[in-house]
Amino acid sequence: MNLGMTEILIILLIALLLFGPRKLPELGRSLGQSIREFQRGVRSVREEFERAAEVKEFKEIKEELSKPIEEVRKPIEAKEEAKG
């Protein structure tokens, strides 16, 4: 949804009529702070998902790498058991 200059001016005019000229700067500050907090929250959630994905990928890679190691270990352990 893109707002053109006309739409923005209409919104500002309605806000001016509803809240008055003294409240508009305060309203603008509050809106700006709310938008920043929302963006921080979205960023935090995104970072958490990315960390979780990295952990999952790391576990999958670790499992894939451990398969060949187990295949090598089995004959060695069997040999050691046969000696002992």
Side-chain angles (χ1 to χ4, degrees):
M1 180 174 132
N2 293 330
L3 295 176
M5 185 57 108
T6 307
E7 289 90 357
I8 293 173
L9 288 174
I10 291 171
I11 292 170
L12 287 174
L13 181 62
I14 292 170
L16 182 62
L17 292 172
L18 288 175
F19 300 105
R22 292 184 183 162
K23 289 283 187 178
L24 277 183
E26 183 181 326
L27 183 66
R29 269 191 299 279
S30 297
L31 182 62
Q33 289 173 348
S34 298
I35 290 171
R36 279 191 297 277
E37 286 298 317
F38 179 76
Q39 288 173 338
R40 281 189 201 123
V42 169
R43 189 177 319 119
S44 174
V45 169
R46 184 182 323 123
E47 289 170 356
E48 190 62 34
F49 275 116
E50 288 172 356
R51 274 193 291 264
E54 287 173 4
V55 168
K56 182 180 178 188
E57 289 175 16
F58 177 75
K59 286 180 181 179
E60 290 171 355
I61 291 169
K62 184 178 173 185
E63 288 173 7
E64 288 297 316
L65 290 176
S66 67
K67 288 177 185 177
I69 293 172
E70 289 300 319
E71 295 300 318
V72 170
R73 247 187 225 160
K74 287 178 187 177
I76 295 171
E77 290 173 354
K79 242 184 196 181
E80 289 176 358
E81 287 178 10
K83 287 182 182 178

